[in-house]
Amino acid sequence: MNAPPRARDLGITSCHVCRQITAYTEDPHAHCPRCGNTLHARKHGSISRAWALLIAAAVFYIPANVFPIMRTQSISSRDDNTILSGIFELWRAGSPGLAAIVFTASIIVPVLKFVIMGFLLVSVQRSSGLVARQRARLYRFVELVGYWSMLDVFVVAILSALVHFKILSRVEPLPGVVYFGVVVVLTMLSAMSFDPRLIWDNRKSQ
Ligand SMILES: [Zn+2]
């Protein structure tokens, strides 16, 4: 099957700020004639930067799960909850919907993102023969879920807000939620650093 040519094959490159099309050049200091932005056919150091951010995110995911993320306090008891114990607590307290949301946002989504980003990076580095379109679809999925990853932080924020309305006795966010926020930001930056055009660069044959 003949794949459509890349812009580089046609001797052109596009400015990633204003999308102006210009002649392709190897010069790393070339500037866009319209907006003056530095031109580069591919993001510089995309793979190493995406790996570094992904590994950092995975490292921060450990304290995000080990340290408590919120404290629930009533007259008789005080509980510090980690992500997992918080999910069980919500379930036990009769909020299975909220427990499911927190489980999806804080366990399923981050782990899925680690796995997919790792897979995309390895497949690009190994010039995988896997269908490029499928991998592009995976990349779009990672971008899409990125918008919803802060959900868990919002849940803690909402719970804290409920205190003011006296619906719950007392809930406070704890440092674990900061680590979780860092994980979310780092995985988003990792996905942004990854240049999806590399998927089409490294095909063995298609
Ligand atoms: Zn431009």
Side-chain angles (χ1 to χ4, degrees):
M1 194 181 97
N2 279 335
R6 301 167 306 164
R8 188 186 277 178
D9 303 331
L10 300 173
I12 52 173
T13 186
S14 103
C15 166
H16 75 265
V17 172
C18 73
R19 304 294 170 194
Q20 168 76 33
I21 303 290
T22 39
Y24 176 74
T25 165
E26 294 280 354
D27 178 12
H29 304 293
H31 289 278
C32 168
R34 184 156 67 185
C35 72
N37 179 60
T38 312
L39 289 173
H40 37 75
R42 297 292 178 266
K43 283 181 190 166
H44 196 68
S46 165
I47 293 178
S48 46
R49 198 171 302 156
W51 263 128
L53 289 162
L54 189 68
I55 291 166
V59 169
F60 273 100
Y61 194 56
I62 298 166
N65 277 284
V66 171
F67 290 115
I69 58 157
M70 65 180 182
R71 169 175 292 166
T72 49
Q73 206 165 331
S74 62
I75 305 154
S76 55
S77 67
R78 198 178 81 171
D79 278 326
D80 285 358
N81 283 307
T82 60
I83 291 175
L84 266 181
S85 74
I87 292 166
F88 285 122
E89 193 61 37
L90 284 169
W91 189 277
R92 223 162 45 94
S95 311
L98 207 52
I101 290 173
V102 179
F103 182 70
T104 308
S106 54
I107 309 281
I108 296 179
V109 169
V111 170
L112 214 56
K113 281 180 87 171
F114 293 148
V115 172
I116 294 177
M117 278 308 297
F119 167 74
L120 286 175
L121 285 163
V122 169
S123 74
V124 160
Q125 281 175 310
R126 291 190 172 185
S127 308
S128 166
L130 274 168
V131 186
R133 267 171 184 265
Q134 246 86 44
R135 286 188 284 149
R137 201 169 290 157
L138 279 177
Y139 177 74
R140 282 199 298 274
F141 173 75
V142 168
E143 272 198 318
L144 184 77
V145 294
Y147 303 122
W148 299 95
S149 306
M150 273 293 181
L151 210 61
D152 193 53
V153 180
F154 287 142
V155 169
V156 178
I158 291 165
L159 287 177
S160 309
L162 289 176
V163 176
H164 298 285
F165 297 102
K166 301 273 186 275
I167 294 169
L168 285 170
S169 48
R170 192 172 164 79
V171 181
E172 279 174 45
L174 290 176
V177 82
V178 175
Y179 290 108
F180 189 80
V182 172
V183 171
V184 172
V185 171
L186 288 175
T187 43
M188 276 167 98
L189 289 176
S190 171
M192 279 164 65
S193 307
F194 179 73
D195 194 331
R197 291 172 294 193
L198 293 170
I199 293 173
W200 283 273
D201 279 351
N202 292 353
R203 286 173 303 175
K204 272 178 191 156
S205 60
Q206 250 189 53

